Amino acid sequence: MAKELVVISGKGGTGKTSIVASFATLAEKVVLADCDVDAADLHLILSPTVVKREEFSGGSRARVMADQCTACGTCQEVCRFDAIHFDGPGNAEREKTFRVDPIACEGCGVCAWFCPENAIEFAPAINGEWFISDTRRGPMVHAKLGVAEENSGKLVSLVRTQAESIAKEQQLDLVLIDGSPGIGCPVIASITGADLVLVVTEPTLSGLHDLGRVADLTRHFGIQTLVCINKWDLNKEIASQIETQARPRGLGIAGRVRYDRAVTEAQIRKLSIVEYQRNGAAEDIKQLWAQVRKAMNHQSAPGSG
Ligand code: SF4
Ligand code: SF4
């Protein structure tokens, strides 16, 4: 069965995606899953060609059909989420009707159930799209969430499941997941059941703080976790502090990646840094990849649990 490696960060903008793109270049027989669905940008480096596109529905939404509404107000009374307001368009009988605020609606369906006139449509809402694509490094599953949509945990699970199926079908060894940032529902959906988590952090005080929160999360789920400090030489003191604090929290140190302007130059050319050059940050990332592989191989070794 394919191993699952998830790369996450406490917040966005730590260079996580450029590390994932480099790992994709270095790995053999890999399927990529971009689970950073709120800010998917792995495709910017890997230029995927979409071969399958599907709509995603994270749940249903209510909508008042104004022409059938008698403005009895029952729906507003029963909605626990304060999502129904008396400011909808008028109809032949009355000046105003009730209206559902689609952002506030939690999709519970109670209003539709209680409406005496059957005037509430309750149908699956399209919240985004997901794709299977070909890239120069192998198949990739990715997604796009609609504006102000909040079902990203469900979409992340879908992206992962699709990537797992492709790995099985094509007998690939690794599912490489660009995880969601933060510690909320999407990141939990990114990491549950994974074999290894790599946390990419920066040498800043907020990086130090975020690392503690992420460590608590991965420990809770019992997933082996390694840490990498990206742009470590921008603040060597905090970089050392991060490593010192990581070990007692049960986190392994996978490596350090130096600050290198070439990372941005590579991105502009739609290349991973390891495709773009041999030295500098590329050299560090190759060493990092060797450590990550070692940790995964150790898991597969007989008697290693
Ligand atoms: S319960 Fe139905 S008829 Fe009554 S206000 Fe709401 S939508 Fe209109
Ligand atoms: S579906 Fe639930 S949350 Fe949405 S408007 Fe109806 S009662 Fe409120």
Side-chain angles (χ1 to χ4, degrees):
M1 215 167 86
K3 289 272 183 187
E4 289 193 38
L5 166 65
V6 193
V7 183
I8 58 171
S9 59
K11 63 176 177 62
T14 57
K16 166 176 68 77
T17 297
S18 64
I19 290 181
V20 174
S22 294
F23 282 2
T25 309
L26 297 167
E28 299 287 328
K29 297 177 78 177
V30 60
V31 52
L32 299 151
D34 191 349
C35 289
D36 192 350
V37 296
D38 293 306
D41 51 11
L42 194 53
H43 68 278
L44 298 177
I45 303 178
L46 292 173
S47 316
T49 307
V50 174
V51 290
K52 181 177 174 179
R53 174 192 293 259
E54 296 272 334
E55 286 180 335
F56 164 74
S57 171
S60 294
R61 289 274 162 77
R63 187 181 73 86
V64 174
M65 293 178 284
D67 52 337
Q68 285 166 246
C69 175
T70 58
C72 69
T74 305
C75 52
Q76 191 181 45
E77 279 165 36
V78 298
C79 177
R80 290 176 53 225
F81 300 98
D82 200 19
I84 302 186
H85 308 286
F86 191 35
D87 60 1
N91 58 26
E93 310 278 318
R94 46 197 54 79
E95 272 183 22
K96 277 195 293 184
T97 58
F98 282 77
R99 180 189 65 89
V100 175
D101 172 356
I103 307 277
C105 174
E106 290 285 326
C108 69
V110 167
C111 57
W113 176 263
F114 280 100
C115 172
E117 307 296 332
N118 272 336
I120 299 182
E121 182 187 68
F122 189 63
I126 302 304
N127 310 107
E129 289 180 292
W130 61 274
F131 316 89
I132 296 178
S133 295
D134 282 334
T135 77
R136 62 186 181 280
R137 295 308 311 152
M140 169 167 157
V141 187
H142 49 126
K144 204 166 81 187
L145 199 62
V147 179
E149 297 295 351
E150 288 176 1
N151 279 307
S152 47
K154 207 168 165 183
L155 185 54
V156 165
S157 300
L158 193 148
V159 167
R160 271 190 71 186
T161 313
Q162 291 296 327
E164 285 160 12
S165 311
I166 292 173
K168 207 169 166 187
E169 274 163 34
Q170 301 188 16
Q171 299 186 332
L172 302 173
D173 299 332
L174 178 67
V175 181
L176 175 56
I177 301 167
D178 188 355
S180 318
I183 54 159
C185 171
V187 74
I188 291 172
S190 303
I191 65 168
T192 11
D195 295 286
L196 189 72
V197 168
L198 175 70
V199 185
V200 178
T201 187
E202 281 183 331
T204 58
L205 285 174
S206 75
L208 190 64
H209 174 73
D210 289 342
L211 187 68
R213 298 190 310 158
V214 173
D216 291 345
L217 187 73
T218 56
R219 190 175 42 234
H220 176 79
F221 287 98
I223 307 167
Q224 186 184 355
T225 305
L226 302 177
V227 177
C228 136
I229 305 174
N230 195 24
K231 305 174 199 165
W232 75 275
D233 44 348
L234 292 182
N235 192 329
K236 294 179 181 174
E237 200 179 314
I238 295 187
S240 301
Q241 273 183 45
I242 289 177
E243 289 178 351
T244 311
Q245 294 195 15
R247 288 193 183 92
R249 286 178 178 273
L251 305 171
I253 308 299
R256 296 172 166 190
V257 179
R258 74 193 81 171
Y259 173 72
D260 190 341
R261 281 172 198 274
V263 172
T264 314
E265 291 165 19
Q267 273 172 356
I268 293 167
R269 288 168 176 77
K270 297 180 182 269
L271 293 171
S272 66
I273 182 69
V274 296
E275 289 169 307
Y276 184 64
Q277 69 175 26
R278 283 167 184 268
N279 49 9
E283 210 177 328
D284 297 340
I285 291 178
K286 281 182 195 160
Q287 281 178 21
L288 178 68
W289 174 239
Q291 289 302 317
V292 168
R293 276 202 18 202
K294 202 164 137 192
M296 281 192 296
N297 290 341
H298 182 71
Q299 288 178 341
S300 328
S304 66

